[in-house]
Amino acid sequence: MEPSAPDPAPPPQGARRVASTKRRGRMTDGKRAVLAALGPRLGLDLDDRPLGTRLTAAFGRVAPRLLDVGIGSGEATVAWARAHPDHDVVAVELHPPSLVAALAAVDESGLANLRVAEADVRVLLDRAEPGDVDHMRLLFPDPWPKRRHHHRRLVDAALLVQLGQVVPAGGTFHLATDWEGYAAEVRALLGEDPCWTVLAGPSPTRPITPYERIGLDAGRPITDLVARRR
């Protein structure tokens, strides 16, 4: 048996991490057919235009925008879009099979205010101007629980600064996780960033996601952390 490859070293201080769209995940011929059929109509291709211009063209209107990142099969995203018909929802997913499932969920919903983008959210935010996104949500992102993998977590100080440059005053950032250490880390980062105020109060209403159910079944507490842009 060949020895396993060592874990990659953490990126240098200040280095930019960009995820690849070539994530693992088996794509059958049927899934490729769904992607080919629904992608042109319900997908969102990012081009060289500013994000706001691209979204106005895709939705045919200017409305408040909700950014849902790492959407899995898409049920929670569909519920979010259905609850906010006066908002446009951009769902961001990198995992190809999840992308297919999300497109199918959007198609079944019949909602006109929801599009799915295969993109790294950091690249998407790079193309955004102030006010292009009003609220951003991550429900149960990969927690990378081992300490040596913490540098792979999506939410870090750089992402919060990047988001703070796009979301207007009064906009929000919402993280839900079943890993207490991840929640504590993000809470501390938000406390150190002058753009954000962590809110107290009841958790936002949302469906229970499949990853959340795994955490609940394992007995892990759920944290919904919401911060408002100052």
Side-chain angles (χ1 to χ4, degrees), residues 16 121-123 125-126 157-166:
R16 178 175 177 76
V121 66
R122 291 160 292 204
V123 175
L125 291 174
D126 268 347
L159 180 70
L160 295 176
V161 169
Q162 189 181 24
L163 182 62
Q165 294 170 343
V166 175

Side-chain angles (χ1 to χ4, degrees), residues 12 21 54 80 85 126 150 165 203 219:
T21 58
R54 180 69 186 89
W80 207 22
D126 268 347
H150 284 187
Q165 294 170 343
S203 300

Side-chain angles (χ1 to χ4, degrees), residues 138 141 153-157 159-160 173-177 179-193 196 198 223-227:
L138 293 92
R153 288 175 171 174
L154 175 59
V155 184
D156 58 11
L159 180 70
L160 295 176
F173 166 71
H174 173 195
L175 171 75
T177 180
W179 288 88
E180 291 181 286
Y182 199 177
E185 177 183 319
V186 175
R187 186 183 296 274
L189 291 172
L190 289 165
E192 295 167 359
D193 191 318
W196 298 100
V198 177
T223 299
D224 279 277
L225 185 60
V226 181

Side-chain angles (χ1 to χ4, degrees), residues 30-42:
K31 290 177 180 178
R32 293 189 182 93
V34 172
L35 186 61
L38 300 182
R41 178 165 55 88
L42 301 175

